[in-house]
Amino acid sequence: QQPVQSPQAVILREGEDAVINCSSSKALYSVHWYRQKHGEAPVFLMILLKGGEQKGHEKISASFNEKKQQSSLYLTASQLSYSGTYFCGAGDTDKLIFGTGTRLQVFP
Amino acid sequence: DAGITQSPRHKVTETGTPVTLRCHQTENHRYMYWYRQDPGHGLRLIHYSYGVKDTDKGEVSDGYSVSRSKTEDFLLTLESATSSQTSVYFCAIPLAGGHYNEQFFGPGTRLTVL
């Protein structure tokens, strides 16, 4: 079953903050975040592993609550380049189960 | 960047015809994945491979088959295409040096079944 993301859509002005949540009905061993710009392929942002290890490629932070089976992605001081659709992925042994996505639009 | 290409990039076909999509990688990675993307459903895993001739089903495998006879190529076949298989199809491989779920996606194939 796919993880559930909330909200489904967010509209921001440049400089504002946003939080995107990801919740799973199954135990989460790792959570992965991706961003997809319109007409492009998804791009890896960050992985959060059970036990607290976090690896990322951009200045975006995230949290992982193993007990609640939830993860949140924090986008602070948003920039126009943050616009796109964000997907969380629940790690399941050697594959990912993606959430339904959150569309983020940042306006000047 | 990882080298991964998909062909064709766009295809229009008719219901009932067979269709094969190709994913080609130059990273010599064991793992390769096929996803479909539809509005409201996000990305859903169709099939994946963990080595030559080693494949497994994903969430939405009905109506699809795959083959991997060489490390670099992973083929997705729709034996008899239906309109419900109209979608954007993405292939992915793990990023070099990363966890196998840190995935790098190909450019996608837009398939329309009339």
Side-chain angles (χ1 to χ4, degrees):
Chain A
Q1 192 168 3
Q2 287 183 280
V4 176
Q5 290 184 231
S6 63
Q8 289 185 312
V10 182
I11 297 176
L12 298 173
R13 292 284 183 190
E14 260 188 302
E16 293 181 337
D17 301 339
V19 180
I20 299 172
N21 301 302
C22 174
S23 179
S24 174
S25 59
K26 294 174 61 175
L28 285 173
Y29 298 99
S30 62
V31 178
H32 310 248
W33 286 95
Y34 287 76
R35 178 171 63 205
Q36 183 179 29
K37 294 187 178 290
H38 182 68
E40 299 181 5
V43 174
F44 170 77
L45 289 177
M46 177 173 295
I47 178 173
L48 299 104
L49 300 173
K50 195 174 183 179
E53 183 182 355
Q54 175 179 311
K55 295 198 299 178
H57 294 269
E58 293 190 18
K59 294 181 181 178
I60 295 174
S61 64
S63 64
F64 179 19
N65 187 322
E66 299 159 28
K67 287 185 179 179
K68 291 186 176 180
Q69 297 168 185
Q70 294 175 345
S71 177
S72 295
L73 187 71
Y74 304 96
L75 301 143
T76 56
S78 59
Q79 307 168 17
L80 295 176
S81 62
Y82 285 8
S83 292
T85 301
Y86 289 78
F87 294 98
C88 68
D92 182 5
T93 56
D94 53 359
K95 59 185 182 292
L96 277 175
I97 306 300
F98 282 96
T100 50
T102 295
R103 186 178 179 192
L104 180 75
Q105 293 178 277
V106 182
F107 291 96
Chain B
D1 285 348
I4 180 170
T5 56
Q6 293 183 231
S7 58
R9 294 293 313 281
H10 302 270
K11 186 169 183 68
V12 180
T13 191
E14 294 188 351
T15 298
T17 59
V19 177
T20 295
L21 308 182
R22 180 181 182 239
C23 178
H24 179 79
Q25 59 140 334
T26 58
E27 303 302 309
N28 200 37
H29 209 288
R30 265 203 316 142
Y31 280 88
M32 297 184 77
Y33 302 85
W34 275 111
Y35 295 91
R36 61 177 289 174
Q37 185 170 35
D38 307 287
H41 292 280
L43 291 151
R44 292 181 291 175
L45 182 65
I46 306 172
H47 282 279
Y48 68 105
S49 171
Y50 46 95
V52 173
K53 297 185 180 178
D54 291 323
T55 64
D56 205 350
K57 296 179 180 180
E59 308 162 76
V60 290
S61 58
D62 288 348
Y64 301 94
S65 62
V66 289
S67 65
R68 188 146 179 226
S69 58
K70 299 185 290 185
T71 298
E72 58 266 34
D73 289 325
F74 192 28
L75 304 180
L76 177 70
T77 297
L78 292 65
E79 301 290 347
S80 178
T82 67
S83 58
S84 64
Q85 293 176 310
T86 291
S87 186
V88 178
Y89 291 85
F90 286 102
C91 177
I93 60 173
L95 287 164
H99 187 276
Y100 47 69
N101 280 330
E102 295 178 33
Q103 295 180 11
F104 181 80
F105 285 79
T109 293
R110 184 172 294 275
L111 176 68
T112 302
V113 184
L114 301 175

